[in-house]
Amino acid sequence: MDSKRSGVLKYLYINPLCRAFAPVGDRGDLLPLPLRLGPVYFRARCPPGSLRPGVPLELPNQHRVPLGWLLQHGGEIIRYRTLTDLAPAGAADPTALEAAQAVLAEAKPVVAVIRKQKDTGVWGGNLLGLAPSASLGIKDVGTIPQYRRLLQMGYPRSGRPFKLAERILFRLLSRDDDPALLFEFQKTAKGDPHAESWARWVIREAACAGLAEAGHVEDPRLRGSAHKVDSAVSQFLRSPLAEKPFIKSGGHVILHPEAYPPSWYSVAMVAAMPNLQRERAGFTERLGNYLAQPAPKKAYVLHVGKKTVKPQHLLLGDPIQADSKGVPKDLPLALHYIELLAGIGALHTAPVATKVLGRLLKDFDEQGVWHPKGLRGLPKATNRMSYHDFPLVTETKSAESRQADVTFRVALIARRLGWTLEYA
């Protein structure tokens, strides 16, 4: 293999417009880097004027995908998704793929999610709940997290659970002011126009994320709502509030009421809509630069009507907390964030996320399997924002069940980054 295709590059340029990589020479000139699709290599072409100066990024440009290992140890969900999302095009036999999908539909984790859905398309009687909450009256995980989890599980998108849920999700994007569509926010928003406006905004962002991930990226209803979200976030990124988003009131640190920062939902939406990224390339670049900066350490709240709310959905910078070696405190959350940054072509801007991924790759063996020292259990999430995509394998007594999710997820990230994939 050509030396330019392997090893560690001293510098990489990552272009969000063309999703291409290029090493930067000693004089700052950009050198073409061949990309591999199956057995074919080609040189990526970028739009004129789209290049930016390279930045240091100590990451490899290739990754080994342990196809055989994932198919053996990944369980029903990861087995199917390995065939559809990681295997080379045409490598999976159609009959085997159909059989794997049939087994997936009967898998216990999938059936458990489907059984909780009501005939109205709603899960848990709420929209955004990630865990039971007595204050909001939430007894179970809500509609949008469960919808996104079912997507991550690889359940057929033509299935009845998606059709039922999407009737609700598309209504949430409309101007329908039915109070019932506020779900768990009805009590908070009652008689308070500001609280109602805030609740509907957050709900629409989350609905946009789910529908974009489901592939409805060209639906005019989603595109219209997505542009509104991007415009509000873009205005925030261009304003002084991006640098000083807080005010103090009554001993509390409060997010400025006119601030519309990025959220987990809006970033997920952008990451799932490559056409939108190309149409709003300047915004996408600003978003990536903003998400690379450290998140504020101070605790803050939102004023929503007469109540104060501790927001978990907002992103005021890189949320990954890691030690000096790059080991994250919450690995599922770190993986989710790294995948989002890869989706918007912004991983190269984020030093903490890059360091975490680089450290994580050191724990992979020659076959591409994650083998950390002292792994005694499945990595646990302390932040529930990664609920929908981790874990996909039910933990058992076997060590492989603890390794499969991270092995699979890092392979997905490598593919999203455009790295050369080798198969084992």
Side-chain angles (χ1 to χ4, degrees):
M1 181 179 291
D2 191 330
S3 61
K4 292 182 181 178
R5 296 175 183 156
S6 61
V8 176
L9 298 177
K10 183 178 180 181
Y11 292 98
L12 280 178
Y13 166 75
I14 305 177
N15 189 337
L17 295 180
C18 65
R19 294 290 180 273
F21 297 78
V24 179
D26 295 335
R27 296 177 299 174
D29 51 323
L30 292 166
L31 307 176
L33 176 67
L35 301 181
R36 181 181 181 185
L37 292 178
V40 181
Y41 289 86
F42 69 95
R43 296 183 186 275
R45 296 180 181 273
C46 302
S50 66
L51 301 181
R52 291 181 280 112
V55 292
L57 183 63
E58 293 293 336
L59 288 176
N61 67 327
Q62 63 181 19
H63 185 73
R64 175 158 291 184
V65 180
L67 282 180
W69 189 93
L70 287 171
L71 293 174
Q72 182 180 357
H73 301 292
E76 303 93 334
I77 296 171
I78 287 183
R79 184 180 302 121
Y80 176 71
R81 289 208 56 192
T82 296
L83 292 173
T84 58
D85 296 344
L86 291 178
D93 179 72
T95 303
L97 194 60
E98 185 177 347
Q101 188 179 62
V103 172
L104 163 75
E106 300 298 325
K108 289 183 179 180
V110 175
V111 173
V113 172
I114 294 174
R115 283 180 176 174
K116 291 184 177 183
Q117 187 185 33
K118 303 298 182 183
D119 290 338
T120 58
V122 176
W123 275 276
N126 69 89
L127 294 176
L128 304 182
L130 294 168
S133 171
S135 61
L136 288 174
I138 293 175
K139 298 181 180 180
D140 205 350
V141 178
T143 302
I144 295 176
Q146 294 286 45
Y147 175 87
R148 296 176 73 193
R149 180 154 181 77
L150 209 55
L151 287 171
Q152 286 289 323
M153 288 178 165
Y155 192 80
R157 295 184 185 180
S158 60
R160 184 172 182 268
F162 288 129
K163 292 180 179 179
L164 292 177
E166 284 165 8
R167 293 175 186 174
I168 295 291
L169 297 186
F170 277 113
R171 278 191 70 191
L172 296 174
L173 302 187
S174 70
R175 296 183 179 181
D176 191 336
D177 59 359
D178 185 349
L181 292 178
L182 290 167
F183 286 87
E184 66 267 34
F185 298 104
Q186 288 185 59
K187 185 176 180 181
T188 300
K190 187 176 181 180
D192 190 329
H194 172 71
E196 180 179 348
S197 176
W198 171 83
R200 292 192 187 278
W201 178 264
V202 176
I203 289 170
R204 287 191 185 108
E205 279 193 349
C208 282
L211 291 169
E213 290 171 343
H216 298 287
V217 293
E218 296 304 323
D219 189 291
R221 294 167 292 181
L222 173 58
R223 283 181 55 81
S225 296
H227 275 291
K228 290 179 182 177
V229 171
D230 282 1
S231 295
V233 176
S234 180
Q235 184 176 355
F236 166 79
L237 296 177
R238 291 173 177 271
S239 73
L241 290 176
E243 295 184 3
K244 296 182 179 181
F246 301 122
I247 58 176
K248 292 185 178 180
S249 176
H252 292 287
V253 177
I254 301 171
L255 184 69
H256 196 286
E258 295 181 4
Y260 287 90
S263 70
W264 285 100
Y265 304 126
S266 61
V267 175
M269 177 198 74
V270 175
M273 300 182 74
N275 286 346
L276 187 71
Q277 295 177 42
R278 285 189 285 269
E279 293 166 11
R280 309 192 69 153
F283 160 72
T284 304
E285 183 176 0
R286 287 192 299 275
L287 177 63
N289 291 334
Y290 180 80
L291 294 174
Q293 66 183 16
K297 296 182 179 180
K298 64 178 70 174
Y300 67 95
V301 296
L302 293 175
H303 265 328
V304 179
K306 298 179 181 179
K307 294 185 177 181
T308 57
V309 178
K310 292 182 179 180
Q312 293 186 339
H313 68 289
L314 296 180
L315 285 170
L316 298 181
D318 189 336
I320 299 176
Q321 297 181 12
D323 62 20
S324 58
K325 296 180 180 180
V327 178
K329 294 182 179 179
D330 187 334
L331 180 55
L333 188 79
L335 286 171
H336 180 39
Y337 191 67
I338 290 169
E339 188 172 1
L340 292 181
L341 291 178
I344 64 173
L347 181 60
H348 67 295
T349 67
V352 175
T354 300
K355 186 174 184 178
V356 168
L357 180 57
R359 174 62 185 83
L360 189 63
L361 288 170
K362 293 180 180 180
D363 289 329
F364 280 70
D365 63 19
E366 294 181 355
Q367 298 302 312
V369 178
W370 184 54
H371 269 292
K373 295 181 180 178
L375 182 64
R376 298 180 179 178
L378 193 69
K380 303 298 182 183
T382 57
N383 187 318
R384 296 280 291 177
M385 290 306 300
S386 61
Y387 162 81
H388 65 288
D389 68 6
F390 196 100
L392 297 179
V393 174
T394 302
E395 183 178 6
T396 63
K397 294 181 179 180
S398 70
E400 290 81 4
S401 69
R402 306 164 194 161
Q403 300 167 279
D405 268 285
V406 176
T407 299
F408 171 74
R409 189 62 57 180
V410 171
L412 275 185
I413 290 171
R415 181 172 183 176
R416 255 191 133 158
L417 287 170
W419 292 355
T420 298
L421 299 182
E422 299 179 352
Y423 298 91

